Amino acid sequence: MTDKESVVLVVSGSIAAYKAAELARALMELGLDVRVAMTRAAERFITPLTFEALTGGRVLRAGFPEPGEPPMEHITFTRGARLVLAAPATADLIARMAGGLADDNVTSMLLATDLPVIVAPAMNVMMYRHPATQSNIALLASRGVMFVGPEAGELACGDEGEGRLARIPQIITAVREKLSLGDDLAGRKLLITAGGTREPIDAARYIGNRSSGKMGVALAHAAARRGARVTLVAGVMDVEPPANVETVRVESAAAMLDEVERRFPGVDALVMAAAVADYRAEQVSGHKVKKTKRWDLPLVENTDILGRMAERRQSQILAGFAAETHDVEAAGREKLLRKNLDMIVINDVSRADIGFGADENEVTILTRQGAPERVTKAPKERVADAILDRLVVLINNRKRRGEAAG
Ligand code: PMT
């Protein structure tokens, strides 16, 4: 059992069933617990095991329970959940829902719940346009079922027309709307960096650091959940980027600078959680340098990405992190001013339980105005939300200033 909010995802037998795996992941990234139910036909396209591995929960299958299995699961499966989402929903599933059939475990479950229902149809265009399907959709809509899509385009069968499963961000928007999830970053574009950079020395070696990417990924995840369009410029990371976020992979500080610089003009804020190498090798050998007793390796300074963006800013908010080991607050304040930032998040990287690689962080948030905010030790996801709470205020105030001036 978890204290998270739950949604029930009903997957039916369309060629688009494979997209339901990505959808389940995107729902989980909203912080939701996902319970999956599958029709018999769905199992011809994707296995229950896929969803069990993704969600960590048992899949409700269409066949009636065997002796020894929970007999009332069609009643209990939706208990405590907030929403049922049928995606992809075939013409057959829609017809069975409209007709109130309870001819297997899944349709029985759908009949035994009064939760809000969202349906994302996916089928051939002729099946979609058929009067039977259209009247089933109208009937369900009149009962309060919300429909998302389908989209028009080329279909798996080769036909053109309506019938493609709505895109995942569109389905997620409908879920957010139904569940009234916070969206204080809706319409905002955020550029976030995460992970460490690698600066090559020769064909085998590089200069790196201990960043796992967890802090930056937590920020990207939380910002997307709060409605932002996020681009994540990811250096070397130990964790996967969120599925509903555009991710650009880089290795060196120079490549990170290029990608950030290119995207910077269109964003509302840049948040640099990446640990960017301050130095790179002056010369990079194409071969592996032979081992000697001593190696003097001249290093040259990398461009400061935040510093460069501060010179180019129009109305973007700039937020940096400060990885410090002593006198952390004074050092962070000095960086805030020197790099001409709007916000700096200071963490003490001498501690093993927070900062580099850890699942938790403890930070002090400094802005140009206002008192320092101390965020006590918490999972990086919670720290990310506290950082975004401050960022939202900075973005909103900037807009109001601009509007007043304009
Ligand atoms: O990835 P995790 O394992 O979750 O760890 C998280 C973290 C400790 C890496 C993260 O919380 C953090 O502190 N990131 C910033 C690390 C760092 O490079 O700090 P700094 O004090 O050296 O740099 C200050 C700021 O300038 C940072 O926002 C950095 O991204 C930026 N910078 C640094 C060098 C450079 N050439 N260009 C930059 O923009």
Side-chain angles (χ1 to χ4, degrees), residues 59-373:
V59 166
L60 180 87
R61 299 176 66 180
F64 282 110
E66 298 293 332
E69 286 181 351
M72 293 298 168
E73 229 182 350
H74 63 289
I75 314 268
T76 54
F77 199 70
T78 54
R79 268 197 198 140
R82 291 272 319 274
L83 177 80
V84 174
L85 167 64
T90 57
D92 175 67
L93 181 68
I94 290 171
R96 290 196 288 157
M97 287 169 76
L101 296 193
D103 55 349
D104 66 23
N105 231 2
V106 173
T107 48
S108 302
M109 176 201 78
L110 287 167
L111 201 61
T113 180
D114 59 0
L115 288 175
V117 178
I118 299 178
V119 170
M123 65 195 74
N124 165 271
V125 58
M126 297 302 284
M127 293 169 85
Y128 179 67
R129 287 189 191 154
H130 195 286
T133 303
Q134 288 302 313
S135 82
N136 288 333
I137 288 175
L139 183 61
L140 287 172
S142 74
R143 292 184 197 144
V145 171
M146 179 178 180
F147 281 83
V148 193
E151 289 202 335
E154 194 185 335
L155 305 174
C157 54
D159 284 352
E160 281 278 337
E162 311 99 304
R164 286 164 68 110
L165 181 71
R167 282 169 303 111
I168 288 182
Q170 215 182 324
I171 301 175
I172 292 295
T173 303
V175 170
R176 297 178 65 85
E177 200 181 298
K178 266 276 183 246
L179 295 181
S180 308
L181 296 181
D183 60 353
D184 55 0
L185 280 168
R188 304 296 190 198
K189 282 194 194 160
L190 261 58
L191 185 56
I192 297 176
T193 65
T197 63
R198 272 184 188 172
E199 310 303 315
I201 298 172
D202 66 12
R205 306 177 178 98
Y206 57 83
I207 302 168
N209 63 63
R210 293 193 293 115
S211 172
S212 64
K214 287 177 188 171
M215 191 66 244
V217 164
L219 278 160
H221 183 189
R225 172 170 43 75
R226 292 165 72 151
R229 266 182 58 199
V230 180
T231 302
L232 181 69
V233 179
V236 180
M237 309 201 300
D238 299 342
V239 289
E240 284 299 313
N244 52 348
V245 154
E246 182 201 6
T247 302
V248 184
R249 301 276 191 172
V250 296
E251 272 205 17
S252 65
M256 185 170 278
L257 171 66
D258 276 356
E259 297 297 346
V260 168
E261 196 161 30
R262 182 167 330 152
R263 288 168 173 80
F264 185 67
V267 301
D268 293 285
L270 166 66
V271 184
M272 291 279 306
V276 186
D278 291 315
Y279 299 96
R280 66 180 186 280
E282 188 170 40
Q283 277 188 340
V284 180
S285 164
H287 314 286
K288 182 171 178 238
V289 175
K290 287 270 174 252
K291 203 168 109 180
T292 47
K293 284 279 173 228
R294 184 189 156 101
W295 184 4
D296 291 314
L297 182 66
L299 300 177
V300 289
E301 203 179 358
N302 276 329
T303 304
D304 189 284
I305 302 175
L306 274 171
R308 172 73 69 84
M309 295 311 115
E311 288 164 13
R312 313 244 149 130
R313 65 142 56 104
Q314 289 155 324
S315 59
Q316 296 90 337
I317 297 295
L318 290 188
F321 273 71
E324 306 296 344
T325 52
H326 53 277
D327 207 0
V328 295
E329 202 166 311
R333 186 172 295 283
E334 186 276 325
K335 269 185 193 161
L336 172 81
L337 300 175
R338 177 165 48 84
K339 295 193 182 219
N340 195 12
L341 307 178
D342 300 288
M343 184 206 275
I344 197 144
V345 181
I346 309 161
N347 44 196
D348 182 344
V349 291
S350 63
R351 284 172 54 181
D353 59 331
I354 59 167
F356 282 117
D359 290 336
E360 296 185 309
N361 212 354
E362 183 176 300
V363 303
T364 301
I365 305 173
L366 287 185
T367 53
R368 287 174 164 263
Q369 279 106 29
E373 183 186 343

